[in-house]
Amino acid sequence: NMLCVRTVLTVLAVYLAAATATVYFEDKFLDGTISKWQKAEVETDKLGVCEFAKPKQVYDEKEDGGIKTTEDAKFYRYSAPFSKTLSNKGKEMCVQFSVKHEQEIDCGGGYVKLMGESFLPKDFNGDTDYEIMFGPDICGYDTRKVHVIFSKDGKNHLVKDTISCKTDALTHLYTLIVRPDNTFEVLVDRESAKNGSLVDDFDLLPPKKINDPEEKKPEDWEDDAEIPDPEDKKP
């Protein structure tokens, strides 16, 4: 499994919680590099370069740093491997990272993708299959939301409700929790932004009722709500 990034991120973590949490991926960038991350090798003319950087205003010399995009109007496709294959069966899963837009942006995605075992970092492109996509996306005034997308049977299913994201130039923490009872929660800056069900808030399952294309009305079917009874007589 892999974690893939498209924009400025500072702390990333993926873990499963049972009696004790198992961390599958974490990068706080404390070594001052992005050495865990590999850039895609396809569609390179569309891709920008990421680097390690500190924010314009530093509060903690050790902790304040992350992976930063360096060019406008570019795609960023970097990935890093998990410590081992992840299965959340019977366990609570958490994906968490912080995002800071250092400028007022008109269009930009700050989301991550969790990829499957067949993922090849060098071939990472816009059509690459993924398991989960999560994080903020801004495009003009129409799109300012937190994406929560799950993949099932080759189809991507977006959460039905709109979850608002932050649009300022401050650092914000985004958290996705998926529980074994098929519920999920999105938190922004540790405050709940959406608490819901994988069954009710996504079209992951087929509808309970579907139209039968072979079903037809009988030839003697009457569309009128009421029809006269020829045998009816006054008492």
Side-chain angles (χ1 to χ4, degrees):
N1 292 48
M2 309 286 290
L3 188 68
C4 301
V5 61
R6 273 206 62 225
T7 192
V8 189
L9 306 174
T10 52
V11 180
L12 300 102
V14 178
Y15 67 85
L16 297 181
T20 57
T22 299
V23 178
Y24 286 78
F25 181 86
E26 183 177 41
D27 196 351
K28 295 184 177 180
F29 306 98
L30 298 180
D31 62 354
T33 73
I34 58 169
S35 57
K36 289 183 180 181
W37 298 84
Q38 179 178 340
K39 185 181 179 182
E41 298 177 17
V42 294
E43 301 179 331
T44 54
D45 58 316
K46 301 178 182 179
L47 303 181
V49 175
C50 283
E51 64 182 13
F52 172 82
K54 292 182 178 293
K56 294 176 181 178
Q57 190 168 5
V58 176
Y59 295 95
D60 188 315
E61 283 293 339
K62 181 180 179 182
E63 298 282 349
D64 289 357
I67 183 171
K68 180 181 179 180
T69 58
T70 61
E71 303 170 74
D72 292 338
K74 290 285 186 178
F75 292 104
Y76 293 87
R77 297 171 184 152
Y78 283 73
S79 61
F82 286 5
S83 59
K84 55 184 176 180
T85 300
L86 182 154
S87 172
N88 67 325
K89 185 176 181 179
K91 301 175 183 177
E92 185 175 284
M93 182 183 73
C94 176
V95 180
Q96 185 177 75
F97 58 94
S98 58
V99 179
K100 178 178 175 59
H101 299 298
E102 294 244 89
Q103 63 189 49
E104 296 293 334
I105 64 171
D106 294 322
C107 190
Y111 45 81
V112 297
K113 295 178 177 179
L114 273 65
M115 318 304 280
E117 291 183 270
S118 61
F119 173 73
L120 297 174
K122 65 182 181 63
D123 296 331
F124 183 26
N125 62 75
D127 295 322
T128 301
D129 292 335
Y130 58 86
E131 302 298 327
I132 297 175
M133 177 171 139
F134 171 63
D137 189 21
I138 301 171
C139 192
Y141 290 100
D142 295 332
T143 302
R144 297 185 170 207
K145 62 184 178 181
V146 180
H147 280 303
V148 184
I149 303 176
F150 292 95
S151 177
K152 184 177 186 291
D153 299 329
K155 294 183 178 180
N156 299 327
H157 301 274
L158 176 66
V159 64
K160 295 176 182 177
D161 291 344
T162 299
I163 307 171
S164 298
C165 68
K166 302 294 184 180
T167 59
D168 54 44
L170 302 176
T171 300
H172 296 287
L173 183 67
Y174 291 88
T175 306
L176 170 64
I177 300 171
V178 182
R179 303 184 180 93
D181 63 354
N182 287 330
T183 61
F184 76 99
E185 186 172 10
V186 173
L187 299 96
V188 180
D189 296 335
R190 299 185 180 180
E191 294 185 358
S192 183
K194 173 66 180 178
N195 214 325
S197 162
L198 298 182
V199 176
D200 298 330
D201 292 289
F202 298 84
D203 290 324
L204 290 165
L205 300 178
K208 294 180 180 179
K209 294 183 179 180
I210 58 174
N211 293 327
D212 182 359
E214 302 299 324
E215 186 178 32
K216 297 179 181 179
K217 291 181 180 180
E219 292 182 2
D220 59 350
W221 184 270
E222 290 286 350
D223 288 319
D224 294 333
E226 296 181 359
I227 58 175
D229 182 358
E231 303 298 325
D232 188 33
K233 297 180 181 179
K234 289 183 179 181

